[in-house]
Amino acid sequence: MLIDGHGRQVNYLRVSVTERCNFRCQYCMPEKPFSWVPKENLLSFDELFKFIKLSIDGGINKIRLTGGEPLLREDLDKFVAMIHNYKPDIDLALTTNGYLLPDCAKSLKEAGLKRINISLDSLKPAVAAQIAQKNVLSKVLEGIDVSLELGLKVKINMVPLKGINDNEILDILEYAKDRNIRVRFIEYMENAHAHSDIVGMHGKEILEVIKQRYTIHKLGRVGSSPSFNYEIKENGYIFGLIDPHKHDFCESCNRIRLTAEGFLIPCLYFDEAQSIAEAVKSGDIDKASQILAEVLRDKPKENRWSEEDNEGSNRAFYETGG
Ligand code: SAM
Ligand code: SF4
């Protein structure tokens, strides 16, 4: 069992397989031109897998592949199969913008993928294009449909932004309810890489919008989930709110993150990270294990988004995988 320096059990590893992305979401990507990390700096799937085996052996039982856009990484289905074959009962999930799902959802499912979280910030083509800075909506919706047809367990993520898609909270809720899938509204997390004019909505404001149509009651967090669940009284539909600005958000944090370059990140907010790249490249698994222990020991107690005067994180979400 992996326990961090604050006594929390860590059983969840998020692996960003690439920082590259085919979208340029305003809340995630910089306004100014920037360059990607050279491909040769990325760990191969074999190298990432060495660390994954070590962490599964230590007690990780949930792995989420993310990015950047994870579906851009070639042979992702083979990587899914490597993890699945090592431990078939692992909770193996993916977070994606959905654009490439129509082409690859089937092979991912066959490789052992169980669950997919798909980002859907708008149901209006022009607004979706404004956020992602690309005409994306029809492919994303098709990706959701294909995943559902294949029997994958789908959740929708929406980041409500003031003046952009804040008037679509109820529409996205209805879209998810009609398909019997869970939607989670994610508070925008201020960070130095996002467009400077982006203003997010606090959880309370999101709930106020939903309360204009429905009566809702609190269910709470299930296990270590970051999502606080609510039930709509009128129809029993359950939705989630991911609210890192709330003080109790970090109490049950159970996760660490691994980037495509091999940085092990204990907390999304802070800059601290340790590299396992050399250790896995040289096959020094004891060293990788020691780095994992140090990262767990030093995992911060809580993020700073919960502090009113916080200036946001310096971390880029497209690098860490959110
Ligand atoms: N490209 C994939 C996607 O968009 O789903 C996976 C990576 S993305 C970084 C993972 C999640 O982080 C997405 O649901 C996205 O909406 C969310 N995200 C990105 N930047 C964010 C921010 N500044 N605040 C809150 N959520 C953010
Ligand atoms: Fe790409 Fe996901 Fe970031 Fe949007 S949120 S730019 S899809 S990594």
Side-chain angles (χ1 to χ4, degrees):
M1 191 184 287
L2 302 174
I3 305 287
D4 78 0
H6 301 281
R8 295 170 295 198
Q9 187 186 347
V10 172
N11 61 357
Y12 178 15
L13 175 68
R14 292 177 69 101
V15 182
S16 170
V17 293
T18 178
E19 51 149 17
R20 288 169 196 242
C21 192
N22 45 357
F23 289 16
R24 296 286 180 274
C25 301
Q26 294 191 35
Y27 53 74
C28 179
M29 292 269 178
E31 277 160 284
K32 296 192 185 113
F34 63 101
S35 50
W36 302 117
V37 168
K39 278 204 172 141
E40 55 271 24
N41 288 17
L42 303 189
L43 293 184
S44 67
F45 281 149
D46 283 335
E47 288 160 350
L48 288 171
F49 187 57
K50 281 185 200 163
F51 183 79
I52 286 176
K53 276 199 290 192
L54 155 75
S55 49
I56 291 175
D57 295 346
I60 292 290
N61 56 25
K62 175 174 175 183
I63 293 180
R64 176 172 298 279
L65 305 178
T66 173
E69 176 44 44
L71 301 183
L72 287 180
R73 181 114 183 216
E74 222 175 300
D75 293 333
L76 189 72
D77 53 345
K78 296 197 178 110
F79 189 45
V80 166
M82 283 160 91
I83 301 169
H84 174 73
N85 293 340
Y86 187 67
K87 196 147 200 282
D89 62 347
I90 199 128
D91 181 2
L92 186 52
L94 174 82
T95 297
T96 169
N97 62 33
Y99 191 87
L100 296 171
L101 272 178
D103 303 325
C104 56
K106 189 164 182 281
S107 63
L108 290 168
K109 165 118 201 282
E110 285 167 1
L113 189 73
K114 298 185 176 77
R115 302 193 294 113
I116 303 195
N117 289 2
I118 303 172
S119 299
L120 179 69
D121 293 320
S122 174
L123 290 167
K124 297 179 184 162
V127 177
Q130 180 190 356
I131 296 172
Q133 303 191 74
K134 175 172 170 171
N135 191 6
V136 294
L137 186 62
S138 59
K139 288 284 250 180
V140 174
L141 295 179
E142 193 187 333
I144 294 172
D145 289 343
V146 168
S147 304
L148 288 171
E149 278 159 26
L150 286 165
L152 282 155
K153 220 174 152 203
V154 174
K155 283 184 192 156
I156 299 292
N157 289 337
M158 176 195 192
V159 181
L161 305 169
K162 284 190 180 160
I164 300 180
N165 62 350
D166 50 351
N167 57 358
E168 288 191 71
I169 291 172
L170 286 166
D171 293 346
I172 299 256
L173 184 92
E174 300 297 343
Y175 171 90
K177 180 170 74 59
D178 291 348
R179 284 156 187 80
N180 202 19
I181 53 184
R182 182 75 49 91
V183 61
R184 286 115 43 92
F185 299 101
I186 306 177
E187 286 180 341
Y188 167 62
M189 289 168 246
E190 297 77 13
N191 69 94
H193 299 262
H195 288 212
S196 50
D197 53 355
I198 290 291
V199 183
M201 287 178 77
H202 274 250
K204 248 175 118 176
E205 296 171 303
I206 296 169
L207 294 176
E208 283 311 317
V209 172
I210 297 170
K211 282 186 203 163
Q212 285 167 17
R213 183 174 299 172
Y214 292 119
T215 311
I216 57 177
H217 56 85
K218 287 182 185 177
L219 294 178
R221 296 187 206 281
V222 179
S224 301
S225 169
S227 171
F228 196 105
N229 289 341
Y230 294 82
E231 185 175 34
I232 294 181
K233 207 174 155 207
E234 287 82 349
N235 52 38
Y237 178 71
I238 295 171
F239 68 90
L241 180 67
I242 298 185
D243 51 358
H245 294 80
K246 215 165 161 215
H247 277 284
D248 70 351
F249 183 78
C250 303
E251 273 170 20
S252 57
C253 183
N254 65 340
R255 66 204 55 196
I256 48 172
R257 293 171 167 82
L258 178 64
T259 71
E261 282 185 280
F263 287 106
L264 205 50
I265 298 173
C267 176
L268 192 56
Y269 185 92
F270 296 98
D271 292 347
E272 279 74 18
Q274 284 213 53
S275 175
I276 51 115
E278 281 318 309
V280 291
K281 278 183 187 169
S282 62
D284 189 346
I285 299 307
D286 288 345
K287 179 71 187 165
S289 186
Q290 183 199 325
I291 295 170
L292 171 60
E294 286 169 14
V295 166
L296 289 170
R297 182 196 63 201
D298 297 340
K299 187 168 157 59
K301 189 160 181 253
E302 55 192 14
N303 71 48
R304 290 203 60 215
W305 281 298
S306 60
E307 295 173 19
E308 288 209 344
D309 61 345
N310 93 84
E311 285 169 1
S313 157
N314 288 319
R315 283 226 170 272
F317 276 60
Y318 64 90
E319 285 171 344
T320 55

